[in-house]
Amino acid sequence: MDIRPGALLSHIDTPDDLRKLSREQLHQVCEELRQYIIDVVSVHGGHFGASLGVVELSVALHYVFNTPYDQLVWDVGHQAYGHKILTGRRDTFPTNRKYGGLSGFPKRSESPYDTFGVGHSSTSISAALGMAMAAKYKKEKDRQVVAVIGDGAMTAGMAFEALNHAGVADSNVLIILNDNCMSIDPNVGALKEYLTDISTSPAYNRVRDDVWKLLGKLPVGKHFTRDMASKLEQSVKGLVNKSSNLFESLKLRYFGPIDGHNITKLVDTLQDMRSIPGPKLLHVLTVKGKGYALAEKDQTKWHAPGLFDKVTGEIHKKQFPTPQPPKYQDVFGHTLIELAEANPAIMGITPAMPSGSSLKFMMEKMPDRAFDVGICEQHAATLSAGLATQGMRVFCNIYSSFMQRAYDQVVHDIAIQKLPVVLCLDRAGLVGEDGPTHHGAYDIAYFRCIPNMVISSPMNEQELRNLMYTAQLDSTGLPFVIRYPRGEGVMPEWKTPFQPIQIGKGRRLREGRDVAILSFGHPGNFAAAAIRDLKAEGIQPGHYDLRFVKPLDEELLHEVFAKYGKIVTVEDGTIRGGFGSAILEFMAENGYKADVRILGIPDRIVEHGKPSELIHECGYDAEAIKDAVRAMAGADVQVVSSKGWEKK
């Protein structure tokens, strides 16, 4: 499909080109930008609704502010597609999120207009405040700094910490609160209720406008100071709406709410705010998925729908002639309900990922036992710890890369106190197109060094169910980590009877000779595939699925090192400090000598692409395992050609 930008958009290579247009032409620019995003994402995939909701805001910001000299920070990055298109990446936008193409999020190394890398949420205010403080120190009085933060991202503790500091830092920072009542799923919590209260109060909005007009006419001088005007403004607004002073109580000048889809109003307001010094917050109301009716109607479904027909709205799904394995996340979601029906102590917690983690199933069926706490990973961990002190068996489901935010809470509030919280780490390993901010590369290494932790990973759906069953047993008295990857498993018939697994006990899957493959988690399936091919070449490695990296199955490892002098370890985590490192530590501690090769995620930042592309690049797919085994077995490394197996 030949995708072409509109007449105006096709000539906007930088924001300087945008600023040459008249204000009247901005409406057409917004229409063309929105249509171009729809055209490209429908064919090439990517996030969808978030960027449609900020089309007018993206145009207004680059029209009013002198970017990139004026610093613009997007939070979170999946709302920045319009920003990317307007800043020199229009023609390469179809490569978005593809291997070797544009990142799906702002990225400093990609463009000078991307002032800060943002994949996780709630960082924009802190980053923008730092930039504003630096500008003040360097006496760059003309430099503007703007943070655009979604109302879902505003629920995180880090955002409140930054707001608290911004109010007293006396730096020229503008915080734009993009209020659409959504993150990926609908927003939750008191802040959402507060923002709804402000945005839906006709009396507040009417009086707010009247107060601004009145204050604009009052003479500021000896008898009526700016401070008095500010206090009068706050007092009158407070009389109308008791909640209106939340941001102002933090010493942030509050403006809004205004219609985020009125480009004229946005431009006028932003131009006025350029001349207002100090920390300030503009409350902008938008609709996620604006301009595409289906995305407006079902905002969660259309957050990142995949490829679709833009005319009919049909989302393209692969068709298979035979039943396919389910996603690991869905196995988790349905299994948790089974366990909770039998065990009344089970509860579920997730920080803003009920759909992504499939905790939504339990939330729908058992709303008093499963909770979305918002984008608050730290709170989710300690809340789970508090519940555990009262005898609850909490399954706290957090994406692996997001769990990094709750590390201190896991150490202090869970591990030290030996509370049996079950930490389910979805998206472990390389997640694909979301790239380095979302890869679950480090959890094995960062959890392995914490005392009192059980760390496990299933090779398939049956193992996931059995690990979940084991984790909720009364006999399990320690924090229990279960990590599993994004995407499908390997068992179409996955709903098997529960069986307990002895903690720290692995399993021998295949006897072999010369070389042993030790795998941890889902990559064990890559090893199994490699072994099937190697068998045809006369190479027969042994295969051991360890299941646990802490505690290790020492009995099984003694068996391995006594029999094999050549060992390949396979994992979907960093090779520094991960599963392979644990095997080397065991070997050293017990005086064994063996040739060990560690396959996994290398010690570098891995960019974005399809998971299969990234796993191949990192060298732990079936082909890489075969090459490693061949080399260690002393066989010629071979490649497949049209003539069959040939020596390399």
Side-chain angles (χ1 to χ4, degrees):
M1 178 179 178
D2 185 19
I3 301 173
R4 296 179 182 273
L8 292 180
L9 185 60
S10 63
H11 291 92
I12 299 175
D13 296 317
T14 70
D16 287 335
D17 298 322
L18 175 66
R19 296 176 200 125
K20 295 174 184 176
L21 301 178
S22 67
R23 290 161 58 95
E24 290 72 25
Q25 291 175 297
L26 297 183
H27 295 277
Q28 182 178 339
V29 172
C30 291
E31 291 178 6
E32 293 180 4
L33 180 58
R34 180 169 277 114
Q35 188 58 52
Y36 189 63
I37 293 173
I38 293 172
D39 288 344
V40 173
V41 175
S42 66
V43 174
H44 296 280
H47 292 102
F48 188 61
S51 286
L52 292 184
V54 293
V55 162
E56 288 81 8
L57 183 58
S58 302
V59 171
L61 285 167
H62 283 294
Y63 190 73
V64 171
F65 292 98
N66 182 28
T67 54
Y69 178 74
D70 288 339
Q71 306 278 280
L72 178 57
V73 184
W74 291 92
D75 185 343
V76 290
H78 58 239
Q79 64 179 330
Y81 285 6
H83 157 81
K84 289 202 170 200
I85 294 167
L86 293 170
T87 54
R89 289 164 280 182
R90 179 196 60 238
D91 295 340
T92 55
F93 184 60
T95 71
N96 184 53
R97 292 166 55 86
K98 294 182 179 179
Y99 190 68
L102 293 179
S103 169
F105 304 101
K107 184 177 180 181
R108 282 173 54 82
S109 61
E110 187 176 288
S111 170
Y113 292 92
D114 292 358
T115 63
F116 203 76
V118 279
H120 288 194
S121 78
S122 315
T123 59
S124 63
I125 303 176
S126 296
L129 180 59
M131 295 172 186
M133 292 172 66
K136 179 181 178 181
Y137 174 75
K138 294 190 291 184
K139 295 182 170 52
E140 297 169 340
K141 295 182 179 180
D142 60 334
R143 173 169 276 183
Q144 304 284 325
V145 182
V146 183
V148 183
I149 183 169
D151 54 337
M154 189 68 91
T155 63
M158 185 175 180
F160 280 97
E161 293 167 16
L163 288 172
N164 184 54
H165 186 197
V168 298
D170 192 28
S171 296
N172 189 23
V173 61
L174 168 60
I175 301 161
I176 297 180
L177 173 57
N178 174 28
D179 182 1
N180 61 17
C181 297
M182 292 290 294
S183 47
I184 295 177
D185 292 278
N187 290 334
V188 297
L191 178 64
K192 179 231 180 182
E193 301 298 330
Y194 159 72
L195 294 175
T196 301
D197 187 26
I198 286 182
S199 61
T200 59
S201 170
Y204 169 74
N205 285 281
R206 184 175 60 253
V207 171
R208 174 208 67 198
D209 292 335
D210 292 342
V211 168
W212 287 356
K213 292 176 182 177
L214 174 62
L215 292 177
K217 295 177 181 178
L218 290 175
V220 176
K222 181 177 180 181
H223 300 293
F224 187 76
T225 65
R226 292 187 183 277
D227 184 57
M228 292 169 63
S230 178
K231 289 180 179 178
L232 175 60
E233 177 188 356
Q234 294 178 30
S235 298
V236 174
K237 284 192 282 187
L239 286 172
V240 180
N241 189 312
K242 64 182 180 180
S243 301
S244 66
N245 288 320
L246 172 62
F247 298 112
E248 289 164 349
S249 67
L250 294 171
K251 300 188 183 298
L252 296 164
R253 291 201 64 185
Y254 171 86
F255 300 89
I258 67 171
D259 181 359
H261 300 298
N262 185 332
I263 185 65
T264 302
K265 179 68 172 178
L266 281 171
V267 168
D268 289 342
T269 302
L270 291 173
Q271 286 179 334
D272 289 342
M273 300 195 77
R274 283 182 62 94
S275 61
I276 299 174
K280 46 204 172 286
L281 185 141
L282 174 62
H283 185 181
V284 175
L285 302 179
T286 64
V287 176
K288 188 173 182 179
K290 179 70 174 178
Y292 193 77
L294 293 173
E296 293 184 35
K297 184 178 180 180
D298 191 342
Q299 296 173 336
T300 298
K301 178 180 179 180
W302 288 87
H303 173 75
L307 308 187
F308 62 95
D309 186 316
K310 71 171 186 175
V311 177
T312 66
E314 179 186 0
I315 297 174
H316 302 313
K317 294 184 177 180
K318 292 181 179 180
Q319 301 296 322
F320 299 95
T322 58
Q324 295 298 298
K327 294 180 179 179
Y328 277 103
Q329 68 188 57
D330 290 339
V331 174
F332 163 82
H334 292 299
T335 299
L336 188 59
I337 292 176
E338 285 184 68
L339 294 172
E341 287 173 340
N343 184 350
I346 287 177
M347 301 185 82
I349 300 291
T350 186
M353 291 294 161
S355 294
S357 70
S358 292
L359 188 67
K360 64 179 181 180
F361 301 140
M362 186 178 180
M363 291 173 63
E364 292 166 358
K365 192 165 186 178
M366 304 176 176
D368 59 332
R369 296 171 63 184
F371 305 95
D372 173 7
V373 300
I375 304 178
C376 311
E377 291 86 358
Q378 301 96 315
H379 168 59
T382 302
L383 173 67
S384 299
L387 288 165
T389 66
Q390 303 305 303
M392 299 294 104
R393 286 284 170 161
V394 185
F395 283 75
C396 181
N397 192 305
I398 303 179
Y399 291 4
S400 171
S401 73
F402 296 169
M403 177 59 81
Q404 293 159 192
R405 295 183 154 201
Y407 189 70
D408 179 73
Q409 286 69 28
V410 172
V411 174
H412 283 248
D413 302 333
I414 296 176
I416 289 177
Q417 301 187 99
K418 294 185 180 180
L419 293 172
V421 174
V422 186
L423 299 172
C424 296
L425 306 191
D426 199 339
R427 272 63 168 176
L430 297 173
V431 299
E433 291 85 348
D434 282 334
T437 58
H438 284 60
H439 292 325
Y442 310 115
D443 58 85
I444 301 173
Y446 68 61
F447 274 150
R448 199 168 68 82
C449 61
I450 304 174
N452 299 330
M453 299 286 286
V454 174
I455 306 171
S456 67
S457 189
M459 185 172 160
N460 54 42
E461 297 90 326
Q462 181 181 31
E463 291 285 291
L464 173 57
R465 286 170 57 81
N466 289 338
L467 286 170
M468 291 176 66
Y469 175 75
T470 302
Q472 55 88 49
L473 295 174
D474 289 339
S475 57
T476 302
L478 292 173
F480 200 117
V481 174
I482 307 174
R483 65 185 307 274
Y484 48 91
R486 180 182 187 179
E488 290 78 14
V490 294
M491 296 178 63
E493 301 298 325
W494 58 273
K495 202 169 184 178
T496 55
F498 292 120
Q499 294 182 342
I501 295 176
Q502 183 179 340
I503 292 176
K505 192 67 177 175
R507 54 183 183 157
R508 181 177 61 250
L509 298 179
R510 184 184 181 89
E511 289 275 11
R513 62 174 186 266
D514 298 325
V515 181
I517 301 174
L518 308 184
S519 64
F520 182 57
H522 184 79
N525 297 291
F526 308 156
I531 290 169
R532 287 193 293 270
D533 290 343
L534 289 169
K535 184 178 179 181
E537 302 173 38
I539 303 174
Q540 299 186 34
H543 187 194
Y544 298 79
D545 170 28
L546 268 290
R547 284 179 174 155
F548 297 88
V549 72
K550 188 169 188 175
L552 285 169
D553 187 340
E554 296 193 357
E555 181 181 355
L556 191 64
L557 288 177
H558 281 301
E559 173 188 323
V560 169
F561 279 96
K563 181 175 181 179
Y564 298 91
K566 299 173 182 178
I567 295 170
V568 177
T569 71
V570 186
E571 61 193 295
D572 54 355
T574 176
I575 62 175
R576 296 288 182 255
F579 169 67
S581 292
I583 300 303
L584 291 179
E585 291 166 12
F586 173 86
M587 182 177 74
E589 290 168 0
N590 290 276
Y592 288 113
K593 295 185 184 299
D595 182 5
V596 178
R597 181 168 300 185
I598 299 174
L599 304 184
I601 299 174
D603 186 24
R604 60 175 172 81
I605 300 299
V606 179
E607 299 297 340
H608 60 278
K610 293 179 181 179
S612 59
E613 293 172 324
L614 301 180
I615 292 170
H616 179 72
E617 174 192 313
C618 291
Y620 64 93
D621 61 358
E623 289 301 317
I625 295 171
K626 286 189 287 186
D627 285 346
V629 172
R630 290 186 194 116
M632 298 188 82
D636 292 315
V637 177
Q638 302 176 48
V639 295
V640 178
S641 71
S642 58
K643 300 177 182 179
W645 288 102
E646 296 179 346
K647 294 182 179 180
K648 183 179 287 184

